[in-house]
């Protein structure tokens, strides 16, 4: 009998990294392990420092990523009971756009003692939104010049992306910018750590790096933004591209010592957590939109048609699978919003009741909210607590809850927030359809798929059956699928997906009576969406007042 072959998929999330050992023949997940990042997300101060970070900053420490390789991978392998020589490849995925400023050899600048106290030397996490001003200038200039790449991103570039964040460094800390040799997506940096070769993946280059038709924004454009930014692409960014599912290189001896895996096995080209999940969910065919729902939600789908979709995060040829156009949209806050509410908006009596029932506060509120009829709470919310990624692309927008009275209870607000994220998704789906990109199936992956109330709300609001990935480790499974292709076990990603992907079709179906009532609530949501989103002066003014107050407070210390 031939020996089973295995691959390892490693999913680097916002707060932790997860390694999964997967059997190549059928996608069976043998074992997994998680390592929580020691430094989590730096939003207040740098490690060992009392200096406070400005508003809307979100940084990370790259050593936390290496620690995942050193701890989670060996633990998963030991738990699986799989012999290392049976592992033929490793694949990874990352949050995007998460950027690492490095020297030419890949060393992060924050690891240089000279820069340990400089915020711009650290990793800029995907939800670092402090470059909104730079993003606004990129958008305004691109629109004035009629740049052909702008419609490929729905007409707006996000503050989360590579160019806005790099321009912020250049303008706020020129010494760090000048010291930085490479501006690297963490998805590529971790592969660099594994195989010793820097290969830029086609996914992040296209979606986050404004690479369209083989070209980045021109030096003329960049120089008009800022003369010192003219050669940014040539000096800091440009790098050979690797197709998704291809082999970036071989595992080095050093990385083998970290992971316990054999030196020389295949290391797959890096990928994004959302996009790599599509084959794990059996959703590489056109028309199947995959929503990876966690702290935020990313919506990805493949299509045979190329269209400009307002407010999308991008469309990239081969951005999900080779031979198809890969579309991306998203919501910047979803699970984060629910978590914010349970930690700040729930009285002690509810926390006590949840504890007595042996439930989390989330589960307790979900149980109470499940007893309500649609519209019973009389509330509509806007899901912009972390800004709006699609379709407005404005991280200066903020959350709103309207309709509260003295009779409003925590479960009312909680349910309204669940519904708000579903309404935001409906705006995205309708925008795609109105732009000529069919959405025929909605597939959910990620931790929030475990909430049955939330899933039923989405089915009812979208008026579509919801399929659910039959894996709790969607991104890691997707990375393992890509590793199997990189190792030569399958000829391409779609073929590997058929054998290794897992999905439960139509796990939740819409109820017509609830859908009609949600249509009425959605009309209210859409009115608020267009009023506050299309004319965002109110929310931007409030954010400005907040920044001014924080600056005065910091100056007074």
């Amino acid at each position: 009998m031939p020996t089973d072959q295995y691959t390892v998929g490693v999913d680097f999330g916002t707060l932790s990294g997860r390694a999964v050992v997967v059997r190549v023949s059928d996608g069976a997940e043998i074992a997994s392990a998680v390592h929580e990042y020691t430094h989590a997300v730096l939003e207040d101060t740098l490690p060992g420092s009392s200096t406070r970070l400005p508003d809307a900053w979100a940084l990370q420490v790259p050593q936390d990523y290496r620690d995942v390789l050193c701890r989670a991978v060996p633990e998963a392998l030991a738990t699986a009971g799989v012999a290392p020589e049976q592992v033929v490849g490793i694949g990874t995925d990352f949050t995007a756009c998460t950027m690492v400023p490095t020297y030419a050899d890949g060393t992060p600048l924050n690891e240089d003692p000279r820069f340990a106290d400089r915020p711009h030397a650290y990793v800029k996490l995907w939800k670092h939104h402090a470059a909104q001003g730079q993003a606004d200038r990129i958008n305004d200039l691109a629109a004035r010049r009629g740049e052909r790449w702008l419609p490929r991103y729905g007409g707006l570039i996000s503050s989360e992306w590579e160019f806005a964040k790099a321009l912020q460094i250049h303008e706020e800390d020129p010494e760090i910018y000048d010291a930085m040799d490479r501006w690297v997506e963490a998805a590529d940096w971790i592969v660099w750590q594994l195989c010793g070769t820097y290969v830029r993946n086609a996914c992040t280059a296209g979606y986050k790096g404004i690479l369209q038709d083989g070209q980045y924004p021109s030096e003329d454009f960049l120089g008009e933004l800022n003369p010192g930014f003219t050669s940014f692409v040539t000096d800091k960014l440009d790098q050979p591209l690797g197709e998704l599912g291809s082999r970036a290189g071989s595992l080095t001896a050093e990385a083998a010592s970290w992971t316990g895996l054999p030196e020389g096995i295949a290391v797959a080209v890096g990928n994004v957590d959302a996009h790599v999940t599509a084959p794990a969910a059996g959703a590489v065919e056109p028309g199947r939109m995959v929503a990876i729902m966690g702290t935020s939600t990313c919506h990805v789908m493949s299509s045979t048609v190329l269209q400009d979709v307002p407010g999308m995060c991008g469309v990239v040829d081969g951005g999900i699978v080779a031979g198809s156009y890969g579309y991306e949209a998203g919501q910047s806050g979803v699970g984060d919003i629910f978590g914010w509410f349970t930690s700040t908006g729930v009285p002690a009596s509810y926390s006590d009741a949840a504890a007595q029932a042996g439930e989390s506060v989330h589960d307790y509120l979900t149980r109470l909210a499940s007893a309500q009829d649609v519209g019973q709470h009389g509330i509509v919310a806007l899901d912009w607590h972390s800004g709006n990624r699609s379709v407005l692309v404005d991280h200066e927008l903020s959350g709103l809850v309207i309709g509260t009275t003295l009779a409003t209870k925590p479960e009312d607000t909680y349910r309204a927030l669940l519904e708000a994220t579903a309404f935001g998704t409906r705006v995205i789906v309708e925008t795609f359809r109105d732009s000529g990109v069919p959405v025929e199936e909605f597939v959910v992956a990620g931790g929030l798929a475990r909430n049955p109330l939330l899933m039923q709300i989405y089915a009812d609001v979208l008026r579509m059956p919801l399929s659910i990935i039959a894996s709790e480790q969607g991104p890691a499974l997707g990375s393992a699928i890509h590793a199997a292709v990189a190792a030569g076990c399958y000829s391409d990603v779609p073929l590997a997906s058929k054998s290794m992907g897992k999905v439960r079709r139509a796990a939740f179906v819409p109820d017509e009576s609830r859908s009609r009532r949600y249509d009425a609530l959605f009309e209210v949501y859409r009115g608020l969406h267009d009023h506050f989103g299309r004319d965002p002066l109110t929310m931007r003014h409030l954010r400005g007042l907040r920044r001014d107050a924080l600056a005065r407070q910091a100056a007074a210390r």
Side-chain angles (χ1 to χ4, degrees), residues 9-10 12 69 90-94 187 190-191 194 268-271 276 479:
V10 189
F12 291 85
L69 301 177
I90 181 170
T92 57
D93 66 84
F94 235 103
I190 202 66
V191 170
L194 286 167
V269 166
N271 210 327
V276 79
S479 289

Side-chain angles (χ1 to χ4, degrees), residues 24-81:
V24 169
S25 60
D26 59 2
E29 297 165 32
I30 308 304
S32 66
V34 179
H35 174 69
E36 304 286 339
Y37 300 152
T38 301
H39 301 91
V41 180
L42 307 178
E43 296 177 285
D44 298 319
T45 61
L46 296 180
S49 171
S50 60
T51 302
R52 297 193 66 82
L53 295 173
D55 185 42
W57 279 61
L59 308 177
Q60 289 195 314
V61 177
Q63 181 58 42
D64 289 347
Y65 308 148
R66 293 192 192 97
D67 289 345
V68 173
L69 301 177
C70 297
R71 299 180 185 179
V73 174
E75 181 181 342
L77 194 63
T79 303

Side-chain angles (χ1 to χ4, degrees), residues 121 202 302 329 402 440 512:
S302 295
I402 190 169
E440 298 163 352
E512 177 60 28

Side-chain angles (χ1 to χ4, degrees), residues 272-492:
V272 180
D273 50 3
H275 305 71
V276 79
T277 302
V284 294
E285 296 85 357
R288 290 179 172 172
M289 178 175 281
V290 183
I292 297 83
M293 298 180 61
T295 54
S296 63
T297 292
C298 190
H299 307 80
V300 298
M301 65 177 293
S302 295
S303 180
T304 57
V305 299
L306 176 62
Q307 299 287 354
D308 296 336
V309 181
M312 66 179 173
C313 298
V315 53
V316 175
D317 188 2
I320 299 174
V321 292
S324 296
Y325 294 105
Y327 288 84
E328 178 189 343
Q331 292 164 277
S332 293
V334 180
D336 268 356
I337 299 176
F338 311 149
W340 160 80
F341 181 75
T342 58
S343 63
T344 64
V346 178
S349 60
Y350 273 63
S351 299
D352 292 343
Q356 290 173 5
E359 298 175 316
S360 68
V361 176
H362 282 286
D363 290 340
Y364 181 67
L365 288 173
T366 295
R367 178 161 57 84
L368 295 179
S370 296
Q372 295 183 358
D373 196 358
V374 176
Q376 179 178 327
H377 50 50
I379 303 172
V380 171
L382 289 176
D383 52 319
W384 301 343
H385 297 66
S386 192
N388 181 283
R389 185 180 295 161
S390 299
V391 296
L392 300 170
V393 197
D394 190 345
H395 293 289
E396 291 288 277
L397 296 175
S398 50
L400 174 71
V401 180
I402 190 169
T404 58
T405 71
L406 294 177
T408 299
K409 297 179 180 179
E411 59 265 33
D412 301 335
T413 306
Y414 186 74
R415 178 167 180 139
L417 292 172
L418 300 183
E419 293 166 344
T421 67
F423 293 148
T425 293
R426 178 166 167 174
V427 170
I428 292 169
V429 169
E430 290 186 353
T431 302
F432 269 77
R433 288 173 171 166
D434 291 345
S435 302
V437 183
V439 181
E440 298 163 352
E441 182 183 4
F442 199 81
V443 185
V444 176
L448 293 182
R450 292 191 292 268
N451 186 319
L453 172 62
L454 183 64
M455 294 299 96
Q456 189 60 56
I457 288 172
Y458 270 65
D460 293 336
V461 167
L462 295 174
R463 289 179 166 272
M464 296 172 66
L466 255 66
S467 299
I468 305 292
I469 188 172
S471 168
E472 293 189 359
Q473 324 292 347
L477 174 58
S479 289
I481 289 173
H482 281 72
V485 177
C489 302
Y490 293 94
S491 59
D492 57 36

Side-chain angles (χ1 to χ4, degrees), residues 69-70 73-74 77 83-85 87 251 254-263:
L69 301 177
C70 297
V73 174
L77 194 63
E85 58 268 22
V87 179
L251 195 70
E254 182 180 31
S257 70
W258 294 342
T259 60
L261 298 175
E263 180 182 353

